[in-house]
Amino acid sequence: MHLKLWQIDAFANKPLEGNPAAVVPLETWLEAELMQAIARENNLSETAFFVKTGDGRYDLRWFTPRGEVDLCGHATLGSAAVLFEELEPALNSVRFATRSGELVVTRGADGLTMTLPSDPPAPFAAPSGYAEAIGEALGTIPPRELFAARYLVGVWDDPKTIRDMKGCGEIAALLRQQNFWGMAVTAAGDENYDFVSRFFAPDKGVPEDPVTGSSHTILTPFWAERLGKKTMKARQVSPRGGDLTVTDDGARTVLAGKCALYMKGEIFV
């Protein structure tokens, strides 16, 4: 079996920035075990697979090296980029049916715009000493606040604290204790950004995700309320880094960014 593959850097102005995603178009669905094996072989934070179901409509699934996930923003953006630039150049919008409902991506002069379901966080009642353990695991001071949504969210006062974190450290065991597999760390922004963040998901085979669309469905409503702003400029300050323009649209979060083609090839399985 031969399958086409594209590697797209999402939320990037040029290759080697943003978050790389593998995109594999299919005629019909493969066995989940095979898709998982391909994602493990690609060894990127996500590999996206899609199947066409109608004009501008596709079913879409995402796999990390260790498992299928319910939502992935950057690989959705990357999938749309492959369709717009390579497979369906007449399209200006595409609708993806996913585990998280329908996701719509449109293209314009300044890049791609995607809407995702918002996931506003709630205060997290952490066990005694948990915040201190989080700080120790990440090699920094404890977070000032903890919140819970799809992921655990830690809030710090200084964006430099977020930038200076060395990586996920020993965070996996602490997240597991509270039934989380991912953590977003964030602070109000600097350098003309409204907020900054990073994202760790070691139990999914992603020690640090370069730019995470799904975490911004949590951070966007959170910072919109804190800052009193609807549209904001966000920076994920991972070693690769990436820029997003985010808009709090109530039940939906709107993410905008650019994509860059890094590689295309063929899989032999």
Short mmCIF file of all heavy atoms in Angstrom, two decimals, residues 40 66 103 190 249:
data_model
loop_
_atom_site.label_atom_id
_atom_site.label_comp_id
_atom_site.label_asym_id
_atom_site.label_seq_id
_atom_site.Cartn_x
_atom_site.Cartn_y
_atom_site.Cartn_z
N ARG A 40 3.27 6.71 15.05
CA ARG A 40 4.44 6.41 15.86
C ARG A 40 5.71 6.51 15.02
O ARG A 40 6.75 7.02 15.47
CB ARG A 40 4.30 5.01 16.46
CG ARG A 40 5.38 4.64 17.45
CD ARG A 40 4.98 3.43 18.29
NE ARG A 40 4.59 2.29 17.48
CZ ARG A 40 3.34 1.80 17.41
NH1 ARG A 40 2.37 2.36 18.12
NH2 ARG A 40 3.06 0.76 16.67
N ARG A 66 1.44 7.95 20.68
CA ARG A 66 0.97 6.97 21.65
C ARG A 66 -0.53 6.74 21.66
O ARG A 66 -1.02 5.84 22.35
CB ARG A 66 1.41 7.36 23.06
CG ARG A 66 2.91 7.28 23.26
CD ARG A 66 3.27 7.45 24.71
NE ARG A 66 4.72 7.47 24.90
CZ ARG A 66 5.32 7.74 26.04
NH1 ARG A 66 4.60 8.00 27.12
NH2 ARG A 66 6.64 7.75 26.12
N LEU A 103 -15.48 21.07 12.61
CA LEU A 103 -14.49 22.13 12.63
C LEU A 103 -14.39 22.72 11.23
O LEU A 103 -14.24 21.98 10.26
CB LEU A 103 -13.12 21.60 13.07
CG LEU A 103 -13.09 20.79 14.36
CD1 LEU A 103 -11.68 20.34 14.67
CD2 LEU A 103 -13.67 21.58 15.53
N ASP A 190 4.32 39.44 27.12
CA ASP A 190 5.35 40.45 26.97
C ASP A 190 5.65 40.57 25.48
O ASP A 190 5.03 39.90 24.66
CB ASP A 190 6.61 40.08 27.76
CG ASP A 190 7.17 38.71 27.37
OD1 ASP A 190 6.63 38.07 26.44
OD2 ASP A 190 8.15 38.27 27.99
N ASP A 249 -15.16 33.85 20.88
CA ASP A 249 -16.46 34.02 20.23
C ASP A 249 -17.52 33.22 20.98
O ASP A 249 -18.33 32.50 20.38
CB ASP A 249 -16.37 33.57 18.77
CG ASP A 249 -17.56 34.04 17.94
OD1 ASP A 249 -18.18 35.05 18.33
OD2 ASP A 249 -17.87 33.38 16.93
#
